[in-house]
Amino acid sequence: MKNKILSILASLFFAASAQAKLNVVATTSDLAAIAKEIGGDKITLTTLAKPTEDPHFVDAKPSFILKLNHADVVIEGGAELEIGWLPALLDQSRNEKIVAGAPGHISCAKGLPLLDVPATLDRSRGDIHAAGNPHFAISPVNGRIIAQTITDGLAQNDPANAETYRANLKTFTTALAAKMAEWQQALAPFKGRSLVAYHDSWPYFARDFGLKIELFLEPKPGIPPTPSHLAEVILKMKEENAHVIIVDVYLNRRTADTVAREAGATVVPVTQFPGGLKGTEGGYLELEDYLVKALAAALAEKK
Amino acid sequence: MKIFQKVGLAVLVLALTAGATSVRAQETNQVEQLQKQLSQMQENFERVQREQAAQISALTQKLGEMARQQSAEAEKKKLETQLAAELATTMTNEPPSALAKTWTPAAPITVARAGSAYMNMSFDTMMVAGGSTASDPSAQLQLGDHDPQKNGFSLRNAEIALDGAVDPYFKGFANIVLKLDKNNGTEIELEEAYAQSTSLPANLQVKAGQFFAAFGRQNAQHPHTWSFVDAPIILNRAFGPDGLRNVGAQGSWLLPLPFYTEFFLGVFDGQGSTTFGFRNVGDADALGVNRFHGRATIDRGLRGPQDLVFTPRLASSFELTDQQTLVAGVSAAFGPNDTGANTGTQIYGADLYWKWKAANAGEGFPFVSWQTEALYEVYEAGADATAATPLPAETLRDWGVYSQVLWGFKPRWVVGLRGEYANGNHGAFDASDEFRGERTRLSPVLTFYPSEFSKIRLQYNYDQGEHFGSQHSIWLQLEFLLGAHGAHKF
């Protein structure tokens, strides 16, 4: 009798948990895209930041408090990416499940070897990030690790669907590996080529594809371009035969255009967030596809 | 595996024989058909094989996992007993060796690296240079405690801010403000020091300590986040130079609605100048008598819960579009005041904040925001027969509004305009009361943010008041922040 009641209760519990999908909130749309691949139809997904806006400067809108209040899991980039807005929201969300350190708080930077970790903290060098460069998710190599991190996190919070998440991870990483070979092939002819970026948010992407993105329109992170610095950049571009400038959609395109005119270069609008540019809405793979194609086309223009 | 292969082969043989019979029947496309069938069979065979393989690997994995789990459990048990045994024996204190290993005198010391310290620390300094047509701007024009105090230089806010997780149940915050008085002597003030709960059920949150009351928009904001050099007139009139803050507790509840709505209820001790219109004895006159609105005050003390200050507030927010957000709220504050044995004060407020931010905002720009607050205060002033001109018992009613628009027209640049009006009913002591009378102020402002950690602000005030006529002031402010930059609320 006791067993019967227990089994009925257990089946009721499982029925209830099977119906309620895991409520996942991602801070940015790149992490959301990966979470969608892993979670599939087992999760409901909300993204806080718009794909077109600067992820460092998102308004901590009260509606986000509500979204976080309802969340089972929050997925953040971490490494100070959302430091200007997420902590205040988490404080107000009154949701113990997702506070930093709780199982429902998935920080994607965890377990990733970060680049540009400063030896000393000195803001005279610009708005540096103490934990390292937080724009890591755009690297497919990191994308794979993030997918694993998200899978582990979702599985921990929703053990009933753990197998599905793991199977989805396998599907995703297989597709990613196949695509990666394609992308590497597409960018192989340009190995070692120098590109210019507005802001230093592309070191991981450069590493993955053997590109050199070490010239920036900003003299220091977060400090807007000055004419003297731009002049230096233009000279270096000529020296290094760099003729592609990449600019994130939320940064000043006009400055890049001016430099491009002077240096005889091409400006390529880029984004690290699915939906940031037309043609990238599909998801993580579609975004990388778009970037690789756009860069390969621009790099092939002049040799 | 073998069985499946055999079955597959048998199927294949059958298929071939079947194919062979059809050879005799139709000679024309026999080869084609055969090939087709063969490839179909092959496909089927391969599919079955794949499925079986997947099943086998899944089962193997599961088996492995179960075994691992079992061994992990056994391991944990073992560890537990081992630990229990170790803990039972007397503990010896071994010197911690980790520090000595990682740090050498030659290595740089980094304080407060994110995530490596128990609390975030910052130090924020705001100084102002400028002047006014009034010889003493602090007498009637700049009534806020963080406002510029005199012509020339003033430094009224050097703030040490600390915050961090106390334990799994509380977060802690403290703001310690250092400021220079008119003689450039240092004053110190414990502006805020409070703990806030993190794990209460039912969407509740409690904070306790010394903190700003949740009344309207600007009262609870620190000067660092203000959009102007000074505080709005009506906030100074209702809440005094410091804003409404006191030692007490506040509960807040996030309502289960489809849009953000939060209800706050604060309870404060209510004694002292930081609860300005409440149990505040006021400033001493030349004879050493404490006065407020001209009346000699009595220190009522706290007779019971009815003498506390209560501050309810309800705030809601709506996403008008993808790029526009609206926050609206109503607030109130109730409590006794010190001008009589049974006199009380009631303050009511309504606030509105709207913000538009471009979809492709870089560094948070461009944006336009609009903020408006209106307040109404009822102050039951007691009679004072001992005053130079005897003052009757009367009800002082004050009201005022400010409205400000800010436009972040390009990264790092914000231009703004604030208009204010304040007035009240006629009171017997009004002529000498800098906190009463009709007053209008218009303030254009331009702010430049060299980075997130510094700002330079230029503001002009056109001030028109019943007590002082027309006055002009111009203020240039510099702010710089060291250390952790905390996340901003909306």
Side-chain angles (χ1 to χ4, degrees), chain A residues 11-299:
Chain A
S11 63
L12 275 175
F13 173 77
F14 280 116
S17 63
Q19 274 162 7
K21 287 184 183 182
L22 199 66
N23 187 346
V24 178
V25 174
T27 55
T28 51
S29 72
D30 49 347
L31 306 177
I34 298 176
K36 196 178 163 200
E37 301 282 352
I38 306 304
D41 60 357
K42 302 291 180 209
I43 63 170
T44 55
L45 193 59
T46 311
T47 312
L48 299 182
K50 284 193 270 284
T52 47
E53 74 182 326
D54 190 336
H56 287 307
F57 297 87
V58 176
D59 279 335
K61 295 194 258 191
S63 60
F64 292 172
I65 297 170
L66 211 61
K67 285 172 179 161
L68 288 167
N69 177 257
H70 297 160
D72 296 312
V73 170
V74 66
I75 301 175
E76 63 153 15
E80 299 190 357
L81 181 74
E82 305 95 341
I83 195 169
W85 51 283
L86 190 62
L89 290 171
L90 290 176
D91 280 353
Q92 294 172 86
S93 74
R94 297 136 222 258
N95 187 344
E96 225 190 329
K97 285 189 276 187
I98 57 163
V99 296
H105 187 107
I106 304 176
S107 186
C108 295
K110 230 199 248 161
L112 271 179
L114 296 190
L115 300 175
D116 311 334
V117 181
T120 55
L121 298 182
D122 173 6
R123 283 199 186 124
S124 70
R125 293 183 292 126
D127 190 3
I128 54 162
H129 294 289
N133 194 310
H135 306 282
F136 47 75
I138 197 58
S139 137
V141 170
N142 289 346
R144 213 210 78 83
I145 303 171
I146 292 167
Q148 178 72 54
T149 307
I150 292 177
T151 306
D152 292 345
L154 294 183
Q156 194 186 353
N157 285 283
D158 181 18
N161 288 313
E163 283 311 312
T164 312
Y165 299 139
R166 289 202 187 103
N168 289 344
L169 172 68
K170 210 164 203 173
T171 313
F172 176 64
T173 48
T174 310
L176 183 63
K179 276 286 186 185
M180 185 61 180
E182 224 177 85
W183 297 328
Q184 272 171 333
Q185 202 180 355
L187 289 175
F190 314 110
K191 209 154 214 149
R193 285 281 290 278
S194 179
L195 282 79
V196 182
Y198 190 102
H199 180 75
D200 185 11
S201 46
W202 297 84
Y204 301 94
F205 188 85
R207 177 199 65 189
D208 280 13
F209 294 107
L211 300 171
K212 194 176 151 204
I213 310 181
E214 286 161 14
L215 290 175
F216 309 106
L217 300 188
E218 286 180 342
K220 288 166 183 178
I223 306 298
T226 56
S228 67
H229 174 73
L230 291 180
E232 251 174 70
V233 170
I234 290 168
L235 290 179
K236 273 196 193 136
M237 283 172 75
K238 286 178 177 158
E239 202 178 294
E240 296 182 13
N241 188 28
H243 60 77
V244 172
I245 305 173
I246 56 175
V247 182
D248 288 272
V249 283
Y250 49 81
L251 294 168
N252 188 345
R253 167 89 197 242
R254 269 226 311 263
T255 314
D257 282 335
T258 311
V259 173
R261 252 198 320 278
E262 293 296 324
T266 319
V267 175
V268 181
V270 289
T271 179
Q272 304 202 344
F273 304 99
L277 277 166
K278 218 174 162 213
T280 61
E281 301 88 349
Y284 188 77
L285 300 181
E286 287 80 355
L287 169 68
E288 300 282 359
D289 248 343
Y290 178 96
L291 290 173
V292 168
K293 274 190 197 132
L295 288 183
L299 285 166

Side-chain angles (χ1 to χ4, degrees), chain B residues 155-473:
Chain B
L155 194 158
R156 296 294 294 162
N157 195 72
E159 182 173 325
I160 301 162
L162 310 169
D163 77 88
V166 176
D167 54 27
Y169 313 106
F170 294 106
K171 284 201 83 170
F173 302 81
N175 287 81
I176 299 144
V177 176
L178 302 161
K179 55 200 174 180
L180 300 183
D181 63 18
K182 280 183 186 162
N183 293 316
N184 296 326
T186 305
E187 295 173 345
I188 188 164
E189 164 183 294
L190 182 62
E191 191 170 57
E192 290 195 292
Y194 64 92
Q196 180 169 292
S197 72
T198 56
S199 53
L200 284 185
N203 283 343
L204 294 171
Q205 193 161 57
V206 167
K207 70 182 189 183
Q210 157 106 329
F211 58 92
F212 282 108
F215 190 115
R217 255 197 90 73
Q218 182 154 334
N219 183 61
Q221 290 176 345
H222 287 261
H224 158 67
T225 55
W226 292 359
S227 304
F228 291 81
V229 168
D230 43 19
I233 296 164
I234 188 60
L235 293 194
N236 283 151
R237 288 192 173 186
F239 301 140
D242 292 281
L244 183 59
R245 70 182 156 84
N246 210 257
V247 57
Q250 174 193 283
S252 66
W253 179 41
L254 193 62
L255 273 71
L257 290 173
F259 52 91
Y260 166 85
T261 302
E262 191 168 352
F263 177 72
F264 305 79
L265 182 63
V267 183
F268 296 91
D269 179 59
Q271 177 127 22
S273 63
T274 57
T275 39
F276 190 65
F278 299 96
R279 284 191 299 122
N280 173 23
V281 293
D283 293 327
D285 65 10
L287 299 170
V289 180
N290 287 323
R291 292 187 181 277
F292 194 80
H293 285 315
R295 275 97 177 152
T297 50
I298 44 164
D299 187 356
R300 285 169 60 160
L302 189 78
R303 292 167 302 186
Q306 74 277 9
D307 282 346
L308 297 168
V309 172
F310 293 88
T311 60
R313 169 171 171 80
L314 188 72
S316 283
S317 174
F318 308 91
E319 301 293 327
L320 302 179
T321 69
D322 199 28
Q323 296 162 40
Q324 291 180 56
T325 307
L326 185 77
V327 186
V330 284
S331 316
F334 307 106
N337 72 54
D338 272 349
T339 58
N342 290 299
T343 49
T345 305
Q346 301 94 43
I347 306 171
Y348 307 91
D351 57 281
L352 200 66
Y353 180 68
W354 168 90
K355 184 174 180 183
W356 167 85
K357 196 169 99 174
N360 61 340
E363 296 177 39
F365 293 84
F367 70 86
V368 178
S369 73
W370 176 49
Q371 175 173 325
T372 299
E373 283 191 71
L375 277 84
Y376 179 69
E377 179 180 11
V378 179
Y379 188 95
E380 299 160 13
D384 183 2
T386 66
T389 36
L391 297 169
E394 60 183 340
T395 302
L396 304 175
R397 296 172 195 278
D398 284 277
W399 55 87
V401 63
Y402 78 88
S403 189
Q404 64 193 41
V405 177
L406 292 155
W407 177 30
F409 56 100
K410 61 186 258 191
R412 316 200 293 163
W413 288 91
V414 182
V415 64
L417 181 67
R418 180 182 65 191
E420 299 177 79
Y421 178 77
N423 205 349
N425 67 346
H426 177 76
F429 184 69
D430 282 3
S432 336
D433 197 339
E434 73 269 29
F435 288 98
R436 300 213 71 213
E438 188 176 29
R439 194 174 160 190
T440 312
R441 187 164 70 179
L442 199 66
S443 316
V445 69
L446 178 70
T447 309
F448 171 61
Y449 295 83
S451 76
E452 272 182 274
F453 309 99
S454 60
K455 81 173 165 229
I456 298 164
R457 171 170 289 164
L458 184 65
Q459 179 178 326
Y460 162 75
N461 283 351
Y462 170 73
D463 222 322
Q464 164 92 48
E466 203 177 308
H467 297 327
F468 51 77
S470 291
Q471 302 287 354
H472 309 268
S473 314

